Amino acid sequence: MARRIFGMALLLALGAAGCATQAGFDARMQALVGQPTSVLAERLGPPTADFVADGRRYLLWTDLGTPAPATIGPGAGFGLGGAPLSGQGIASGPLMPNRTGSRPMSSCAVRFEIMDDRAVGFLTEGAGCDAVPPR
């Protein structure tokens, strides 16, 4: 029974992760085109940078999108239990932590061009620019 529950949970998690795509991310960002800058800040948080280049104003957001997968590596642990799916335990891992924690940040950056306080277009850069398409 425990294996069946674990297997079903694993399939659901993999299925949900498979729905995040570059096209879904682009659709979410496209929905923000035409919106005022206040809506962009409301939906994406405060911008990382606000700058002018070649006479055009841009707002930049970094570390958007899907974080890199969790690190899988060697670990150690022990536990005590009496019945299936019950007990107490202590675990540790991976033994070789990465420099940003267990879920590395996405390197996805989005730059919106702003005219008359509204987004008129966007560009994405980096890896991990994935999201579930809006409904």
Side-chain angles (χ1 to χ4, degrees):
M1 179 70 171
R3 287 184 185 172
R4 181 175 291 161
I5 292 171
F6 178 75
M8 289 172 47
L10 181 61
L11 284 174
L12 288 172
L14 289 174
C19 296
T21 63
Q22 173 75 45
F25 186 86
D26 289 345
R28 286 195 176 277
M29 296 303 108
Q30 187 62 43
L32 295 173
V33 172
Q35 297 294 324
T37 57
S38 60
V39 171
L40 271 67
E42 178 183 302
R43 302 252 175 95
L44 302 175
T48 306
D50 182 345
F51 62 95
V52 175
D54 298 325
R56 297 177 175 179
R57 180 178 175 215
Y58 296 97
L59 293 178
L60 174 72
W61 280 265
T62 58
D63 298 329
L64 294 178
T66 306
T71 304
I72 298 174
F78 73 91
L80 303 170
L85 300 176
S86 70
Q88 298 176 352
I90 299 172
S92 172
L95 296 178
M96 303 286 292
N98 59 45
R99 65 183 189 281
T100 58
S102 62
R103 300 268 332 234
M105 294 299 291
S106 166
S107 64
C108 175
V110 179
R111 181 178 60 191
F112 280 92
E113 183 177 355
I114 306 299
M115 288 181 150
D116 298 325
D117 201 43
R118 291 190 177 276
V120 295
F122 70 96
L123 293 172
T124 60
E125 297 175 6
C129 294
D130 298 330
V132 177
R135 295 179 185 218

